[in-house]
Amino acid sequence: MAQIKKANGIGDWFDQRLATKKLAKVMMTEYWIPKDINFLWAMGVVLVVMFKLLIISGIFLLMYYKPDAKLAFDSVNFTIMQEVEYGWLWRHIHAVAASFAFLVIYIHMFTAIYYGSYKNGREMIWISGMILFILFSTTAFTGYVLPWGQMSFWAAQVITNLFGGIPVVGDAVVTWIRGDFAVSDSTLTRFFMLHVFLLPLMIVFVIVIHFYSLRIPHVNNQEGADIDFDAEADKYLAGNKKESKVVPFWPVFLAKDFYVVCVTLVIFFFCVFFFYDFSLPGVNFEPANPMVTPKYIYPEWYFLWSYEVLRGFFFDIGPIKAMDIGLIAFAFANVIFVILPFLDRDPRVLPAHKRPRFKIWFWVLMFTMVILTIYGKLPPKGINNVIGFIASMTFITLFLIMPYITKKDAKGAK
Amino acid sequence: MRELKILGVVVFFTVFTYIGVNTYAYSVMKPAVAPADFQFKDLPRNDKIGDASRGAEVFMNAGCIGCHGLESQGIPAPMNDADAAASFGVVPPDLSNAGLIFDSHFLAAVIKNPAKAMLNDHKFNESNPHPMPNFYGLGGDIDQELADIVAYLQSIAPEKVSDEQVYVDACMQCHSIKYTGLMSNKDPILMAKYMGSVPPDLSMFIRSRGADYLETFINNPQKHLAGTAMPRVGLTQAAQEQVVAYIEYAGDRKKDERESLGIKVLGFMIILTILAYLWKVKIWREVH
């Protein structure tokens, strides 16, 4: 047993039992982050703040929400929005934070791609991050169903139906997910369980893994420079703070993050109070009605790009139905980002502007994602189908040629 | 400088995507319609000057009170709601406030030919006549008689009515608002038979449709939903604004609280951001 002495203060009392001083060093004051970074490096902390806002607002909503197909809509739109003191505030925060979380996830993700922060030892950061993306997506989808509006119902109908494309067991899987032959009360209650319990629990668990996976390979920097963290940390601790290439997580890195978080929250709260329609679309303020199909069915904006890859293939090829090709493309789009580190055959960690071919690849990908997102919302008719198809093909081709392009870049550098 | 450039790229892609999936996509899904026409220019003009006392006589002789009540003048509706709904499909409205909330040109036109003025002549025709019969005059100048009836209704109308009362007079014949407890007292089965489907509850319409849509829609339902059974009811601009205000009260009664709290929270966040910036500059001065 450790030597326990009479403590000379409450801090010391805890330190003797929990090694709090050591813990603070490991987690905060001697957790080293490169100095050569920009505001995009703050997106992780911004995401943590968004996730906290979602949890806190979600807890308040949970106190009045009723997961029952007959009661859900009114419990949200009457009880929470109009009866409970500041219920509307928690709902607006919850909905807008979901959109903001996805916007920040995408910025975070494309930052990692641009700076090559997913390879050479950082594969686990990337993969755990992509698992978080999938968990967030599932959470957002199950959450969108809970108010039981028209789009809640029909989005659930369309998305659960996709699993019917799985060979042999498809129909059984759809029934298993819905808990019924059609989307109904049993679908709502199980989505409720997933949204408020199982998925958030898994997210918290994977966030811990995501943070831990950063410690060994360290955070990347703007130039992809290979930093000797031990040597630089010694320099910093010796007082050569200006010369050292690293800064401690607390207070230096967080001082900058805190500023970026505040700027984001100004925009966030502006949206919560004055500009929320993008997160709370009108069509979902209409009660779910299984008898009336809405004229246009579309998912939330953050799913539109993969939804468009699904819809992009609008014609049959020989014996293969358009729907099946779309489903294969959709499955491809949802897993391909996970294996990105293994598609990149260039061993160097460099920002895209130092990799001539990859740079073009990156910007084409960015524009393709935006085009897919926009056309995922537009009605699928006429020229929209053609543009959607071309964008979907471009998306798939980009990933198929990635190994070749990155290899070429690596060769060109020698 | 470099950070500003990066910020520019992030803002560009965010705004571009936003415009694409919101502004542009909705302009395709919900094409713009002509602004609301509170003059009801498509209806014939009636330039006759009406006389209220003659109008009272015409009103009584023309058979209006065979179906409509005029509570403010001590004339109750001749049938109770249930019987009226069973006979006509819809309960004929009480006309006490009609002179105030309905446009005068519209009133003249709707008395003369209800289906035409209400823009549901695609639904009501010779084989399926509108429950309110056309008015063919009492033998004199029909335009003068119409002007007189309108003048009479205007003369007995109160100077102003509450938002809720306008809603009750103009909309509640068919639409309930359960969030304020105003339930249309018609049997839904009869209603569905009369209208083709049960008219929706309007509790959340301020959020599901929005004030802009309601303005052009109530003024002329055919603009957004060609062929709908919902009649144009001919509300004046002021009365229609009262209806929209009532629908907003039903579905968004915390709007004032939201907007005033919003300013305070934004003020707090901006001050916090300035402090955060100063702290960041102080901390980073040591390491740069």
Side-chain angles (χ1 to χ4, degrees), chain A residues 175-218:
Chain A
T175 313
W176 181 71
I177 292 172
R178 289 178 181 166
D180 199 341
F181 296 108
V183 170
S184 64
D185 187 65
S186 52
T187 322
L188 177 63
T189 48
R190 64 186 50 206
F191 279 21
F192 174 70
M193 179 283 289
L194 289 171
H195 183 76
V196 306
F197 175 68
L198 187 56
L199 291 168
L201 191 70
M202 289 166 80
I203 287 176
V204 171
F205 180 68
V206 182
I207 286 177
V208 172
I209 296 176
H210 192 58
F211 286 178
Y212 175 67
S213 67
L214 267 168
R215 283 312 284 264
I216 308 303
H218 282 286

Side-chain angles (χ1 to χ4, degrees), chain A residues 35 74 88 252 276 286, chain B residues 179 209 253 257-258 284 287:
Chain A
K35 196 189 281 176
D74 290 339
W88 58 270
V252 184
Y276 40 77
E286 210 166 302
Chain B
Y179 288 180
R209 299 302 191 281
R253 68 192 69 170
E257 182 179 81
R258 186 172 66 231
W284 280 73
V287 299

Side-chain angles (χ1 to χ4, degrees), chain A residues 81-94:
Chain A
M81 291 291 275
Q82 313 207 49
E83 292 282 278
V84 176
E85 288 288 332
Y86 297 102
W88 58 270
L89 177 63
W90 297 117
R91 189 190 180 195
H92 276 212
I93 288 178
H94 203 67

Side-chain angles (χ1 to χ4, degrees), chain A residues 35 38-39 74 82 88 92 222-223 241-242 252 256 262 266 273 275-276 282 285-286 370 377, chain B residues 2-3 6 16 18 21 26 29 178-179 207-209 250 253 257-258 262 284-288:
Chain A
K35 196 189 281 176
N38 58 53
F39 77 91
D74 290 339
Q82 313 207 49
W88 58 270
H92 276 212
Q222 278 198 98
E223 300 301 324
K241 293 184 179 180
K242 287 187 202 283
V252 184
K256 188 168 179 171
C262 284
V266 170
F273 292 103
F275 197 74
Y276 40 77
F285 284 94
E286 210 166 302
V370 173
K377 183 93 169 234
Chain B
R2 190 186 207 177
E3 300 224 15
I6 296 169
F16 188 67
Y18 174 82
V21 298
Y26 289 128
M29 291 182 216
K178 67 176 174 182
Y179 288 180
R207 294 292 291 259
S208 72
R209 299 302 191 281
R253 68 192 69 170
E257 182 179 81
R258 186 172 66 231
W284 280 73
R285 195 177 290 137
E286 276 181 43
V287 299
H288 261 315

Side-chain angles (χ1 to χ4, degrees), chain A residues 221-290:
Chain A
N221 56 75
Q222 278 198 98
E223 300 301 324
D226 196 5
I227 296 171
D228 180 347
F229 278 82
D230 293 334
E232 298 298 329
D234 287 345
K235 254 193 235 171
Y236 190 94
L237 290 172
N240 297 328
K241 293 184 179 180
K242 287 187 202 283
E243 271 169 51
S244 173
K245 287 179 185 165
V246 297
V247 292
F249 185 70
W250 170 266
V252 184
F253 180 72
L254 274 188
K256 188 168 179 171
D257 278 12
F258 187 57
Y259 168 58
V260 179
V261 165
C262 284
V263 173
T264 313
L265 285 183
V266 170
I267 307 168
F268 171 78
F269 280 113
F270 173 76
C271 292
V272 164
F273 292 103
F274 302 105
F275 197 74
Y276 40 77
D277 280 354
F278 69 97
S279 262
L280 289 152
V283 62
N284 222 25
F285 284 94
E286 210 166 302
N289 184 349

Side-chain angles (χ1 to χ4, degrees), chain B residues 12 21 66 70 108-109 129 143 156 167 171 183 201 207 224 228 281:
Chain B
F12 169 77
V21 298
L70 212 53
D143 283 342
I156 59 164
Y167 179 84
C171 316
M183 302 307 281
D201 185 286
R207 294 292 291 259
H224 288 283
T228 180
V281 169

